[in-house]
Amino acid sequence: MQPALTSPSRAAVRVASLAMLPAIASAGLVGGIVTPSVAAESIQVSVDPSRAGAKIDRNIFGQFAEHLGHGIYEGVWVGPDSRIPNTRGIRNDVVAALKALKVPNVRWPGGCFADEYHWRKGIGPADERVVTLNPNWGGVIEPNSFGTHEFMDFLDQIGAEAFVSVNVGSGTPQEAAEWLEYLTTEQPTALAKERAANGHPAPYKVAYLGIGNESWDCGGNMTPAYYLSQLGIYSRFVRNFSQEQRQDKHRMLKIAVGPGGDGPRWTEWTEAVMKTWQDRTWSFDFDGLSLHNYTVVKWPPAYQSTSFGEAEYSQILKSTLEMDRIIATHSAIMDKYDPQKKVALVVDEWGAWYAPLPGTDPGFLVQQNSLRDAILAALNLNVFVRHADRVRGANIAQMVNVLQAMVMTDGEKMLLTPSYHAFRMYVPFQDASFVPVTYDAGRYAHGEISLPRVDVIAAKDAAGKLWLAVTNLDANRSVEAEVSLTGVTARSAVGETLTAASVDSVNSFEAPHSVVPKPISAEARGGRVVLKLEPKSVTVVSLGH
Ligand code: AHR
């Protein structure tokens, strides 16, 4: 739960990811190095499809669902007897919405909740589930109606993989090991038979195993040395028993707790974990290092999620762009110990964290989601894409009804947030290859804040189709992006653009379609496709050539 630190004096100049430098060394201005002091009304964007680089792991589009407020209960789980249409207790409307996002994985059950979660309370007949409390989040009743089987059913319904966070805080290695045996073993052990008796004879697959959550804070206030001793034990004993997955021992990726932002405390944490990885023995291994970094500006979260102006818009965007530097800092440390980039950086909690909406339980972390959040989402996704060789997973916090949500529910009503639309527009980037882009970003200034005016990424998908995502951060001025391709002639651009009346426009239950994408297309003139980008917009197009 750490704020993203913002240095007010730091010029908001983006640089190409260090990780990409070898591939782009001769490409000139790549990734948006800012040059002019006077913003032009047109920008030149040059895409070189012959230089496709690192794969953009689809897992950077992961989601996070914690037992927190209405993130699970009401948001996902309504129970089989609900009047809200559901399949085995899971909301049909939410499932349909999430399917369109092609969610690669869902991190569950927390968050801080995971640090105190005891999985046995969430299995067995519904009417015999143990009722507990959720001390982290409002101290409310936790009915444990949504447990292991319900989570796996939900994943099956939306077509996502499991990212299970085990309890290193108040749990034991044995408890976690037994959970994984219960989940993954095919052999007729007592735990496998219990799983079958509970309705699932076939073993489940677990793609990611989070070994602890924020162990430096809500996960047990551990020092790096103490956490590393726990990591050694858990990484040894919490096994994946799936025969199919065990053909490849890295198929279930083990994620170690990593830093919670920037500053010496966090670089020391990364140093300690990565040094241990470098010095590891045969029986100690992990595949990923987690990073948590929220856009919050100051702690406790004070920015409003509704009814704000350009000052708050530009400040939040400035803060969110810090993600690039924070990733670069931790990546550089990882490079020292792991130059081959075997260990992934997994940003498994990120997003905007604002003041709770008035009238809501502050422990439920309810906030609205505006056009600003869609732009914020696109900017962060662009950062992850530029660091694709190291960042191979990310989970926005959180999927439903909590923080920067994809969907919000109110009884039987459901709405798609602006962030949802940004994620849906970015689906073509899943597992595509990073393609370098050269452009002059220009500047967008508001008061003391100066930001790049545009932010651009490109990728080539498996079918060879080229995709371009352009965010116009400028709240007031449209921009014409003149897009050309190196080596081939650009012919057209077809896609969608997302903007709205103002930076704080939201989708509400009364007006759920205020912020929705609309089609955009352009034909080439003289080998250049001119895209007219509205102020404060996110645009994703495929480029025909
Ligand atoms: O996403 C809300 C909380 O933020 C998570 O439970 C915790 O891991 C982080 O501090």
Side-chain angles (χ1 to χ4, degrees):
M1 232 182 279
Q2 292 298 314
L5 299 178
T6 307
S7 158
S9 60
R10 186 171 183 272
V13 175
R14 289 196 303 94
V15 294
S17 155
L18 288 178
M20 296 299 172
L21 282 180
I24 61 177
S26 60
L29 294 174
V30 177
I33 293 173
V34 176
T35 47
S37 53
V38 178
E41 292 307 306
S42 297
I43 58 161
Q44 309 298 315
V45 177
S46 171
V47 182
D48 186 350
S50 69
R51 310 188 60 193
K55 184 172 129 182
I56 301 163
D57 195 315
R58 64 189 295 258
N59 288 298
I60 69 167
F61 300 90
Q63 298 286 334
F64 172 34
E66 180 166 12
H67 289 233
L68 192 177
H70 297 303
I72 296 289
Y73 298 109
E74 296 187 26
V76 171
W77 177 260
V78 287
D81 301 330
S82 173
R83 64 188 159 74
I84 298 172
N86 68 82
T87 302
R88 295 179 294 279
I90 295 163
R91 292 182 76 121
N92 293 345
D93 52 357
V94 171
V95 166
L98 293 171
K99 272 170 100 165
L101 293 188
K102 299 197 185 305
V103 176
N105 74 77
V106 181
R107 180 171 178 256
W108 175 85
C112 301
F113 181 83
D115 298 313
E116 297 181 58
Y117 183 62
H118 300 286
W119 66 275
R120 280 206 152 276
K121 298 182 177 167
I123 59 166
D127 54 0
E128 291 172 23
R129 297 276 171 98
V130 179
V131 173
T132 56
L133 288 175
N134 189 334
N136 283 290
W137 306 116
V140 296
I141 288 283
E142 166 56 58
N144 284 300
S145 328
F146 190 89
T148 301
H149 290 259
E150 292 75 20
F151 173 60
M152 289 297 183
D153 188 9
F154 169 60
L155 294 185
D156 203 37
Q157 291 189 35
I158 66 170
E161 291 189 303
F163 182 158
V164 172
S165 272
V166 294
N167 178 352
V168 176
S170 69
T172 63
Q174 184 177 355
E175 182 188 10
E178 287 179 358
W179 194 10
L180 266 287
E181 184 188 325
Y182 179 88
L183 279 160
T184 64
T185 196
E186 277 164 44
Q187 290 157 287
T189 67
L191 284 165
K193 286 182 182 168
E194 191 178 357
R195 184 192 65 229
N198 286 331
H200 209 274
Y204 292 112
K205 291 199 182 72
V206 177
Y208 286 90
L209 182 79
I211 303 182
N213 166 74
E214 299 196 350
S215 301
W216 29 260
D217 183 24
C218 69
N221 296 309
M222 299 175 193
T223 61
Y226 187 84
Y227 172 69
L228 285 165
S229 69
Q230 297 298 301
L231 179 64
I233 295 166
Y234 278 75
S235 79
R236 172 77 183 120
F237 297 122
V238 185
R239 295 180 171 97
N240 175 22
F241 289 98
S242 160
Q243 294 301 323
E244 190 187 324
Q245 288 186 297
R246 283 182 63 169
Q247 306 302 322
D248 172 1
K249 82 178 179 108
H250 290 288
R251 185 57 192 90
M252 180 183 80
L253 302 179
K254 295 180 178 177
I255 314 299
V257 169
D262 66 355
R265 179 182 177 199
W266 303 120
T267 50
E268 279 161 27
W269 186 282
T270 300
E271 287 272 355
V273 180
M274 290 308 297
K275 178 152 189 359
T276 302
W277 181 83
Q278 188 185 47
D279 298 342
R280 70 198 181 282
T281 60
W282 69 270
S283 64
F284 183 126
D285 208 358
F286 61 88
D287 312 274
L289 179 74
S290 142
L291 165 67
H292 288 186
N293 182 52
Y294 286 95
T295 301
V296 63
V297 183
K298 58 183 174 185
W299 198 260
Y303 276 65
Q304 302 302 317
S305 58
T306 58
S307 307
F308 55 85
E310 196 176 343
E312 294 84 358
Y313 167 77
S314 53
Q315 180 59 62
I316 288 288
L317 294 193
K318 179 180 174 187
S319 177
T320 217
L321 287 170
E322 292 287 304
M323 181 68 94
D324 183 63
R325 186 180 51 75
I326 293 169
I327 288 176
T329 300
H330 292 289
S331 294
I333 299 170
M334 295 175 81
D335 286 350
K336 244 183 4 182
Y337 298 101
D338 171 28
Q340 292 177 291
K341 300 184 192 293
K342 289 186 175 166
V343 180
L345 187 61
V346 179
V347 191
D348 56 10
E349 286 189 30
W350 69 274
W353 192 327
Y354 305 123
L357 271 186
T360 63
D361 184 330
F364 284 11
L365 310 186
V366 180
Q367 61 192 42
Q368 244 299 3
N369 194 296
S370 65
L371 176 64
R372 177 178 65 184
D373 296 301
I375 290 173
L376 183 154
L379 293 175
N380 280 279
L381 292 171
N382 292 358
V383 169
F384 302 152
V385 164
R386 291 192 192 96
H387 289 277
D389 56 351
R390 180 65 85 178
V391 177
R392 301 197 287 273
N395 300 76
I396 189 166
Q398 298 193 6
M399 190 169 60
V400 184
N401 287 333
V402 176
L403 298 176
Q404 190 174 345
M406 300 292 113
V407 304
M408 298 172 82
T409 64
D410 179 12
E412 56 198 7
K413 290 188 247 170
M414 184 201 73
L415 64 78
L416 308 178
T417 67
S419 297
Y420 173 94
H421 292 303
F423 264 69
R424 219 257 307 121
M425 288 162 68
Y426 267 68
V427 164
F429 287 88
Q430 293 195 9
D431 281 346
S433 300
F434 175 87
V435 169
V437 193
T438 305
Y439 64 101
D440 164 359
R443 303 302 291 166
Y444 156 53
H446 182 78
E448 307 254 291
I449 293 177
S450 174
L451 304 171
R453 187 172 172 193
V454 294
D455 194 73
V456 189
I457 57 159
K460 194 192 268 189
D461 70 17
K465 204 170 190 178
L466 265 182
W467 292 90
L468 190 74
V470 190
T471 299
N472 180 6
L473 288 75
D474 197 314
N476 308 301
R477 293 177 304 167
S478 56
V479 73
E480 290 198 347
E482 297 188 7
V483 184
S484 61
L485 305 179
T486 308
V488 278
T489 307
R491 301 206 182 283
S492 61
V494 182
E496 291 175 287
T497 190
L498 181 68
T499 188
S502 58
V503 288
D504 65 343
S505 294
V506 299
N507 290 334
S508 64
F509 291 104
E510 296 68 45
H513 304 298
S514 301
V515 192
V516 287
K518 57 186 184 193
I520 185 171
S521 61
E523 294 301 317
R525 286 195 312 249
R528 282 173 193 277
V529 175
V530 181
L531 282 171
K532 292 190 167 62
L533 306 168
E534 293 184 55
K536 50 183 168 32
S537 63
V538 178
T539 303
V540 175
V541 289
S542 67
L543 294 170
H545 53 90

